[in-house]
Amino acid sequence: MTFDKEQDMQRKLKVKPIAESYNSYVIEEKEKRDWSGNIYLGFVAAILAIAFFT
């Protein structure tokens, strides 16, 4: 991850209080997955499989 580029990503946060504690919270962050690396890897694997079996 590079810090010189500004990202326009909305962060979805859930703040939940911890049961039976004073002033303690759990923060859950949901983020969209970046599928570009997996898609690229899948195409490379498919091309290598086709080349191997032909």
Side-chain angles (χ1 to χ4, degrees):
M1 183 172 159
T2 58
F3 293 108
D4 58 343
K5 293 182 182 178
E6 195 172 314
Q7 293 183 352
D8 295 329
M9 186 186 313
Q10 293 285 332
R11 294 172 57 182
K12 294 182 180 180
L13 299 176
K14 276 189 178 179
V15 179
K16 295 182 180 178
I18 297 175
E20 299 180 9
S21 66
Y22 179 72
N23 240 3
S24 298
Y25 299 93
V26 174
I27 298 176
E28 296 176 0
E29 181 176 0
K30 292 187 176 183
E31 186 175 314
K32 290 185 177 180
R33 288 188 68 176
D34 182 19
W35 289 96
S36 62
N38 292 343
I39 293 172
Y40 177 73
L41 182 63
F43 280 124
V44 170
I47 290 171
L48 289 175
I50 291 170
F52 181 74
F53 289 114
T54 56

